[in-house]
Amino acid sequence: MAKEIATVLAAARRSLEWLLEWVVIILMIALTIVVIAAVLVRLAGDSFSWYDEVAAIQLSWITYYGAALAALKRRHIGFDSVLLSFPPRLRRLALILAEAIVLGFFILMAWAGMLVLEILEGDRLVSLTWVPVQLTQSVIPIGAALFIICELLSLPDYWRRTMAGISLEHAEIEEEVEQEMQNAERR
C-alpha cells in the first residue's frame, strides 16, 4: 500500500513539475515579448499606456509560480547545513517545526489572498479597464495554494533524505562538480 501511495505521489509531483515549468516558461516568453514590443514602440517615438502595469503583473505571476516550482524541487531558501548539524531526534523536531511554520504562513497567505479578492471585486486595471483586478491578484491565493501542494508533495522525499543526513544543497553541488569534471575530461 505504501509503495502505491509513493508511486501516485511521484507521478503527481512529476506532472505538477511539468505543468509549473511550462507555465513559468510561457509567462517568461510573454513578458519578454511585452518588454521588446514596448522598447520598439518607444524607439519609434510612442509608448504603450498599459506597459508598466502589465509588466509588473507578469513579473509577479512569474515570481509566484516560480516559487511554487522551487518549493516542489526544494530549491527555495533553506538551511540544510544547520538542520543536518542537529542530532537525529532534534533534526526531526526541527524539520516538523520548520514545515509547520512554512505551511502555516502559506495557509494564512491563501486566506488573506481570498479576502483581498473580495475587497477588489469590481475594480479594473487603470490602463486596461476591461481587465478585472481580481484576475491579476488571483495569483496570491493560487500561488499560496500551489506552494502548499508543492511543499506537501516534496515532503516525503525531503524527510527521507534529511533523516538520512543527506543535504539537497550539497548533493546538487556535488552533481554539478561531477558533471564539470566529466566535461573537462572529454575536452
Side-chain angles (χ1 to χ4, degrees), residues 28 40 42 45 66 117 162 169 179 186-187:
M28 289 176 71
L40 292 176
R42 190 158 287 165
L117 291 183
T162 303
E169 295 169 2
Q179 183 65 40
R186 287 185 202 134
R187 290 183 222 154

Side-chain angles (χ1 to χ4, degrees), residues 27 30-35 38 48-62 125-131 136-137:
L27 288 171
L31 178 58
T32 302
I33 290 168
V34 166
V35 169
F48 293 133
S49 62
W50 50 265
Y51 165 73
D52 289 336
E53 195 171 26
V54 170
I57 291 165
Q58 287 178 302
L59 188 57
S60 69
W61 282 26
I62 290 168
L125 292 183
V126 173
S127 59
L128 298 173
T129 56
W130 54 272
V131 177
T136 66
Q137 299 306 308

Side-chain angles (χ1 to χ4, degrees), residues 20-36:
L20 285 173
E21 284 174 349
W22 277 103
V23 167
V24 171
I25 288 168
I26 290 166
L27 288 171
M28 289 176 71
I29 290 170
L31 178 58
T32 302
I33 290 168
V34 166
V35 169
I36 290 171

